[in-house]
Amino acid sequence: MSRKLAGILVADAVAYSARMEENEAKALAALSNSRAITDGILAEHQGSIIATAADSVIAEFPSALDAVRAALDIQAELERDEADNFRFRIGVHFGDVVQTDGTLLGDGVNLAARLEPLAPKGGIMISGVVADQIVGKVDAKFAAIGKHNVKNIARPVDLYCWPDTAAGAYRRRKLMRLWPIATAALIAVASVSAWFALQEEADQGMPTGPKIAVLPFEEVGAGADEAFFADGLSRDINAYLTKFSNLFVFSPSSTREYSEVECATIRKELDADFILSGTVRRADDSLRVTTSFTDTRDCVQLNAPGPFTRDLSAQSVIDVQIEIARKVVSEIGSADAPIFDAKLASAIEEKAPENLNAYECVLLSYWFYENFEPDRHRRARDCLVGAVKSDPGYSLAWSRLAFSHIEAKKYAIDTKDSWAEDSWRAAQRAIDLDPANPDAYYAMAIRSQMVSDPPDIFANYARKAIELNPYDSFVLADLGTWMAYAGQWETGKEWVTRAKALNPKHQSWWDFIWQLHAFLQSDYSASIAHAQTVNLPGNYMVQAALTAAHAMNGDKEMAERTLEKVLELKPDYADDPRQPFRARGMEKVLVDKLMKGLSIAGLDIPT
């Protein structure tokens, strides 16, 4: 059994049964002629037929583009002489497939099969994944018809159809189907929390709109210790665009290094379509924010949001952030994006802090992740303790405080014996205040692994966090990593892979689970190769796992040399070599195997 990505085309003859009933001999002749045409075109475009029935065919292609070109040529050729041929409906998807005994299975095949019946007669239906890959590469125009629920597929799928003239009919059908539901929903939405509850059911597929890089805003006149404010302000704008529009928004960590880089370089390295940057100035009791909005195709400045001059308050900061996000979406996004919903602004404002100091404490807590300096942690922790006292209804301050307790344990920074109880209490308070706060479930998930709760508790919290915030690449990668630690390797890899797509400049540690999984599967050479990709010579955990892989692979000399490096990095590692792996909730079978490898390398493992 092997996995791979492939373009899948599914074609089915229109009105086959009716024509067979009317004139069997004539229908069979027409089908034979049609199949000769389709099979020949499939082969011309590197297609391999993997399944066939009397009136249908499934073919595999090396790329989405090959599959779409084949589909277009088939429809064009069959249209030339419709009287002697069948017309076909065709569905095309590009995705993960599993090859077993010459048969292809998996979501890639299933989704293509579900798209085919949705195609117009003589037309083609493709997924958003395929549409992204053929932009500018085919002459035919595929029209977006929005997100649709597809049978036996858990998440709504972005669909595009050809010919584009058929799109209107699909949109009208969808509106007629959804109108009674929408009316009932509007009646039911009597509070902000209900509005957010509806968002939990939103699609979690990859965003399909234009790609935008939000660069960290620069704080004018601020010292290094105060730069967190502008950075946090732009981070929140990034979050609003991510959650409430169809735009593909790059993760803040992927854009950080491009603050002083030319537009053309950002276009080349990130493949971004647009760039949003800005400056922030705080003076006395006033706030001034200016922005720059750039189209990377020609590096021309667009009509940028602002400038904004407001009083320096938490309410003003949020108002400016929402206005900037709305202006950006109005220029390059969808006119029906949730960011324009008045209920959304009210919901955000209701969840906002009452005072600016509490908001600044939250921004400080994120600032810690830039370099993990203990002093930054302490500053944020002390600030958050004060924030929940001065603004006890601010849910995000409570969830950030929960993380402060968790990080104290993870990074051994002034750890209290009560860290587990303190973190649970803070996270639970955050959930009580705002059941739609993804950060609180994220904290609960990480904590549950660290205290060795049953795996299903971690999984439930983790999935809830992802449902509420599906496009945060850091959270996806972190929870995917912990999911793998818990033994759910494939789910963990899926989440981290998705995070990588959202953040092309991701940190190298995101590959650590591949290193560990290969080791667990006794593929020690692959584990060693993954360790080179992780490329963290200063991380003693990565080096300890690499030591074990070298030892189990029979290279004792390299294992001994790597073990020396581990002990240089952490001189007391030999006191409890299991601790860092256990603290992350890793499976016992993995920890035991790592200890076996370290023992072969010469480390005395305490019983």
Side-chain angles (χ1 to χ4, degrees):
M1 183 178 75
S2 62
R3 286 183 175 272
K4 61 180 178 179
L5 292 172
I8 302 296
L9 179 153
V10 177
D12 189 78
V14 176
Y16 171 75
S17 297
R19 289 180 64 174
M20 283 287 287
E21 185 175 341
E22 179 183 332
N23 188 322
E24 181 177 292
K26 189 174 181 180
L28 288 174
L31 181 63
S32 177
N33 188 51
S34 301
R35 282 297 305 273
I37 292 171
T38 59
D39 292 2
I41 292 173
L42 293 175
E44 289 175 9
H45 291 278
Q46 305 181 67
S48 301
I49 295 176
I50 58 175
T52 184
D55 59 341
S56 63
V57 62
I58 302 177
E60 171 201 0
F61 294 82
S63 72
L65 182 59
D66 289 326
V68 171
R69 284 174 172 167
L72 289 167
D73 285 355
I74 287 171
Q75 300 295 36
E77 188 65 28
L78 292 175
E79 188 178 15
R80 291 192 180 98
D81 190 4
E82 184 175 357
D84 294 329
N85 291 311
F86 275 89
R87 301 306 306 277
F88 281 75
R89 290 186 172 90
I90 298 178
V92 179
H93 179 55
F94 183 83
D96 187 45
V97 296
V98 179
Q99 188 164 8
T100 305
D101 298 328
T103 302
L104 285 188
L105 306 169
D107 288 344
V109 179
N110 293 340
L111 184 50
R114 298 304 180 189
L115 298 186
E116 173 270 311
L118 302 177
K121 174 185 175 182
I124 305 165
M125 187 69 69
I126 65 175
S127 63
V129 173
V130 174
D132 288 343
Q133 296 185 36
I134 65 169
V135 173
K137 298 176 183 176
V138 296
D139 293 331
K141 182 178 180 181
F142 285 79
I145 62 171
K147 297 182 186 298
H148 285 247
N149 290 312
V150 180
K151 185 177 179 182
N152 292 337
I153 302 298
R155 300 168 180 168
V157 180
D158 278 298
L159 300 183
Y160 294 74
C161 76
W162 176 90
D164 62 322
T165 52
Y170 283 94
R171 296 191 186 108
R172 286 192 294 274
R173 269 168 29 201
K174 186 177 182 184
L175 284 172
M176 293 300 294
R177 223 172 36 243
L178 293 180
W179 176 247
I181 300 172
T183 303
L186 287 172
I187 294 172
V189 177
S191 68
V192 169
S193 59
W195 191 95
F196 269 93
L198 291 175
Q199 306 313 302
E200 292 182 31
E201 303 301 322
D203 170 49
Q204 295 180 29
M206 294 296 288
T208 58
K211 296 180 179 180
I212 180 170
V214 181
L215 305 185
F217 283 19
E218 177 187 357
E219 181 127 17
V220 179
D225 287 347
E226 299 301 320
F228 68 88
F229 184 86
D231 186 75
L233 188 144
S234 55
R235 173 189 288 273
D236 282 351
I237 294 170
N238 184 297
Y240 292 149
L241 291 172
T242 297
K243 291 181 181 179
F244 306 120
S245 79
N246 67 322
L247 302 179
F248 188 115
V249 188
F250 289 103
S251 159
S253 59
S254 67
T255 61
R256 185 168 302 282
E257 66 184 80
Y258 292 99
S259 295
E260 299 181 5
V261 175
E262 293 182 353
C263 160
T265 302
I266 296 175
R267 169 79 178 183
K268 178 180 179 181
E269 296 189 5
L270 283 181
D271 192 29
D273 300 308
F274 299 92
I275 302 168
L276 177 69
S277 59
T279 61
V280 177
R281 180 186 291 275
R282 291 182 288 168
D284 299 324
D285 293 326
S286 67
L287 169 73
R288 181 171 177 80
V289 181
T290 61
T291 66
S292 175
F293 193 34
T294 307
D295 186 333
T296 64
R297 289 171 294 187
D298 46 20
C299 292
V300 169
Q301 296 291 313
L302 302 177
N303 185 18
F308 304 91
T309 301
R310 305 286 170 84
D311 64 296
L312 187 56
S313 67
Q315 183 64 55
S316 294
V317 171
I318 291 167
D319 288 346
V320 168
Q321 290 169 333
I322 293 176
E323 286 189 48
I324 291 173
R326 283 177 168 172
K327 176 66 175 178
V328 168
V329 176
S330 70
E331 289 206 33
I332 65 172
S334 172
D336 60 355
I339 192 70
F340 298 113
D341 194 314
K343 298 184 185 71
L344 171 61
S346 298
I348 293 172
E349 290 170 1
E350 185 170 305
K351 295 170 187 288
E354 293 182 0
N355 62 72
L356 187 63
N357 289 338
Y359 177 69
E360 290 182 346
C361 294
V362 167
L363 299 186
L364 267 174
S365 71
Y366 288 113
W367 198 42
F368 166 68
Y369 301 135
E370 282 189 19
N371 57 17
F372 298 93
E373 288 183 357
D375 285 345
R376 285 194 180 185
H377 167 85
R378 294 184 180 103
R379 182 181 175 189
R381 176 198 62 202
D382 295 343
C383 191
L384 288 166
V385 169
V388 297
K389 291 179 180 178
S390 64
D391 195 348
Y394 186 21
S395 175
L396 191 56
W398 282 104
S399 61
R400 289 284 86 210
L401 180 60
F403 263 110
S404 180
H405 295 306
I406 290 168
E407 287 151 3
K409 176 64 175 178
K410 282 175 65 178
Y411 302 108
I413 305 173
D414 308 334
T415 311
K416 293 182 179 180
D417 292 338
S418 60
W419 75 269
E421 181 181 349
D422 293 342
S423 60
W424 182 89
R425 187 182 296 110
Q428 188 59 55
R429 178 60 178 155
I431 292 171
D432 291 342
L433 288 167
D434 180 9
N437 178 352
D439 193 57
Y441 296 99
Y442 178 24
M444 282 292 206
I446 300 300
R447 177 199 170 278
S448 71
Q449 274 290 85
M450 293 175 66
V451 299
S452 301
D453 278 341
D456 61 317
I457 293 179
F458 162 76
N460 289 338
Y461 282 130
R463 292 183 190 282
K464 185 68 173 178
I466 298 302
E467 285 175 12
L468 292 169
N469 190 13
Y471 302 131
D472 188 312
S473 65
F474 183 88
V475 175
L476 268 171
D478 197 27
L479 286 177
T481 297
W482 285 84
M483 186 70 79
Y485 289 165
Q488 301 295 315
W489 294 99
E490 296 310 318
T491 299
K493 288 180 179 180
E494 177 188 340
W495 288 6
V496 176
T497 298
R498 187 168 160 218
K500 289 179 178 180
L502 290 165
N503 184 355
K505 306 295 286 187
H506 61 83
Q507 297 97 321
S508 62
W509 64 261
W510 291 11
D511 284 289
F512 186 41
I513 59 174
W514 275 268
Q515 177 186 346
L516 291 174
H517 195 207
F519 179 84
L520 181 61
Q521 294 178 315
S522 302
D523 191 347
Y524 305 119
S525 295
S527 181
I528 293 166
H530 284 303
Q532 307 311 314
T533 302
V534 175
N535 191 28
L536 290 175
N539 185 298
Y540 77 92
M541 270 189 67
V542 172
Q543 296 305 310
L546 178 58
T547 298
H550 281 308
M552 299 293 276
N553 203 39
D555 191 344
K556 189 172 182 182
E557 180 182 350
M558 183 60 73
E560 290 173 347
R561 286 166 53 188
T562 310
L563 179 59
E564 288 178 5
K565 183 184 297 184
V566 172
L567 296 176
E568 288 175 7
L569 292 169
K570 189 170 178 59
D572 63 348
Y573 177 67
D575 294 346
D576 189 359
R578 297 181 180 86
Q579 189 278 332
F581 300 103
R582 284 177 172 171
R584 286 156 177 79
M586 295 188 193
E587 297 176 285
K588 184 177 184 300
V589 62
L590 172 59
V591 176
D592 288 347
K593 195 168 187 177
L594 287 165
M595 294 307 108
K596 180 180 179 180
L598 287 165
S599 178
I600 294 172
L603 186 69
D604 290 330
I605 308 297
T607 56

